[in-house]
Amino acid sequence: MSCEKFVEFGKSVLASDFPHVASTGVINAQTPALLVCHRSPLLTRKSNFESYGDNYVRQSLLRQTEDSIEAVAKLLDVRPDQCVIVDNVTTGISNLLDTIVRPGDTILVNSWTYGSVKMAASLSSEVMTNRNSDETDVKPSSVQVVELDIELPIKSEEDIIEQVRKTLEQRSDIRIAILDHITSSTACLMPVQQLTKLCRSRGVLVVIDGAHAIGQVPELDIESIGADFYVGNLHKWCFAPKSAALLWARADRIDSLRPSVVSWLVRDHLASMRFAFLGTRDTSSVCAVSEAVRFVKQSCGGLVRTLAVGLRWIIQGNLACCNQKLPSLRGRHLGIGTSLALRCVGMHFP
């Protein structure tokens, strides 16, 4: 397909494909937080779910869920049977911890781990305390959370790898490691493949928080990372509605995927179906994912082109704001080496 058939990002496509954003007259420069949804998934979401809800849930929901999972799997070159769609990364990791954490486990997080993910890890230790004690004899938590305080400056990927290696050597009891692909607070592209190999060599289960990575990491190859689980949002760089994220499991970990909410399909042999119908809730975001993927592939020219154009616009816009509003930031050293590339470009301006 020639480039002439792809959209050219700018005011014209904003008006035609994102009229709900154009009507506000405001563009959010803090793109990594909540990217805008394309109009097609929004229309699909509204019409399918609200116009005839009972028929939609009983006749179309599961089929459209499968369509969306197949679309995402093809986009990211992974197997559909290893994929589940959940509300967001926080939900996905919370679900995982509910099912994979065992008494006596130690969970590794770090000082850049997203706040709600840290809370999920901490809460899992509290839950284990409640499961393994009674009201008259409260025992210490059988699950521990170890937080690696990442030291700055970081001059290379090896700096990060070495810090994790030292922690694993000091704490041989670590069984689960939660690693960011792109950190939220510091916008660092982490060497997840090397970190995963390091953890796996010591028998540590690896959960990758890829909240910002799908669509931002060019030609993302989830399988090659080697992690046990990978969770990434689709509402950021794939133009899907909010409440749509991918939860991927390695082939030998698929049976571990269980929703925290127990409902009708919890025992289905397909992991995707276990999460598809969790009572009366608005699942239309899941079903609209296939429309969002179609827009990315057919109109935008794929994830790589979308990223290249999108980042150029974001960086230009933010630099313009920095030059006008925040000149004191220019030339500042953030203590992060060039090999850990800044990819989450976003600021709050006065």
Side-chain angles (χ1 to χ4, degrees):
M1 185 179 293
S2 63
C3 293
E4 288 76 14
K5 295 184 179 180
F6 299 142
V7 297
E8 289 300 332
F9 296 95
K11 289 185 177 180
S12 59
V13 76
L14 187 67
S16 62
D17 291 83
F18 303 89
H20 47 293
V21 179
S23 64
T24 67
V26 176
I27 298 292
N28 179 21
Q30 224 293 49
T31 306
L34 295 169
L35 196 66
V36 295
C37 175
H38 184 247
R39 67 177 298 177
S40 179
L42 281 177
L43 294 174
T44 300
R45 175 179 185 172
K46 182 177 180 179
S47 61
N48 286 351
F49 189 80
E50 299 297 346
S51 60
Y52 193 179
D54 190 62
N55 180 70
Y56 167 75
V57 169
R58 296 178 184 277
Q59 303 296 327
S60 304
L61 172 60
L62 300 186
R63 175 179 53 79
Q64 291 188 19
T65 299
E66 289 181 345
D67 290 345
S68 289
I69 289 175
E70 288 179 3
V72 172
K74 188 173 182 180
L75 181 71
L76 299 174
D77 195 24
V78 293
R79 285 170 39 189
D81 65 323
Q82 293 177 241
C83 300
V84 165
I85 295 183
V86 293
D87 286 350
N88 48 55
V89 167
T90 299
T91 300
I93 292 181
S94 294
N95 271 277
L96 285 176
L97 294 178
D98 281 348
T99 55
I100 67 176
V101 174
R102 305 182 310 202
D105 281 353
T106 299
I107 305 171
L108 175 64
V109 298
N110 63 73
S111 51
W112 290 350
T113 300
Y114 191 61
S116 63
V117 174
K118 282 185 185 179
M119 293 175 67
S122 298
L123 185 61
S124 67
S125 67
E126 296 177 20
V127 170
M128 280 296 173
T129 297
N130 295 332
R131 288 176 180 172
N132 294 282
S133 61
D134 55 43
E135 293 182 358
T136 60
D137 182 24
V138 178
K139 302 176 184 178
S141 172
S142 60
V143 173
Q144 298 182 52
V145 178
V146 173
E147 180 173 332
L148 165 62
D149 187 10
I150 296 178
E151 298 177 1
L152 295 175
I154 297 171
K155 299 179 181 179
S156 68
E157 293 179 344
E158 187 57 38
D159 286 354
I160 287 284
I161 296 170
E162 186 59 28
Q163 290 183 43
V164 174
R165 180 184 290 111
K166 287 181 179 179
T167 302
L168 293 176
E169 290 174 351
Q170 295 168 359
R171 296 295 303 260
S172 59
D173 58 331
I174 292 174
R175 179 177 171 267
I176 300 171
I178 302 176
L179 307 174
D180 295 85
H181 200 156
I182 299 177
T183 61
S184 175
S185 58
T186 50
C188 284
L189 179 66
M190 302 291 275
V192 288
Q193 190 167 15
Q194 298 95 312
L195 291 173
T196 296
K197 183 178 180 180
L198 174 63
C199 291
R200 293 284 307 279
S201 69
R202 288 163 168 76
V204 177
L205 294 176
V206 177
V207 179
I208 301 291
D209 178 348
H212 299 277
I214 297 178
Q216 274 206 93
V217 176
E219 300 178 0
L220 172 64
D221 188 344
I222 293 175
E223 187 84 39
S224 70
I225 294 172
D228 295 273
F229 305 98
Y230 190 101
V231 196
N233 286 320
L234 300 171
H235 70 259
K236 293 183 182 293
W237 294 87
C238 288
F239 305 108
K242 312 304 178 285
S243 300
L246 171 72
L247 168 55
W248 174 92
R250 213 177 65 200
D252 59 342
R253 298 293 181 190
I254 295 174
D255 288 342
S256 301
L257 298 181
R258 287 286 188 278
S260 298
V261 176
V262 177
S263 194
W264 295 101
L265 302 179
V266 71
R267 299 188 185 279
D268 197 282
H269 69 286
L270 290 176
S272 58
M273 293 298 100
R274 299 169 201 157
F275 290 77
F277 182 72
L278 303 179
T280 305
R281 55 190 284 268
D282 187 350
T283 56
S284 55
S285 291
V286 176
C287 300
V289 166
S290 57
E291 291 292 328
V293 171
R294 187 175 296 113
F295 173 71
V296 169
K297 294 177 67 175
Q298 296 182 1
S299 297
C300 299
L303 290 175
V304 174
R305 180 177 183 267
T306 305
L307 170 66
V309 177
L311 283 181
R312 185 171 70 245
W313 278 79
I314 295 165
I315 291 171
Q316 288 175 352
N318 281 342
L319 288 179
C321 291
C322 285
N323 289 333
Q324 294 177 21
K325 303 290 187 181
L326 302 172
S328 60
L329 286 180
R330 287 182 290 178
R332 292 288 181 89
H333 177 59
L334 300 180
I336 299 170
T338 55
S339 61
L340 294 173
L342 284 168
R343 289 193 177 274
C344 284
V345 182
M347 294 183 180
H348 293 287
F349 302 107

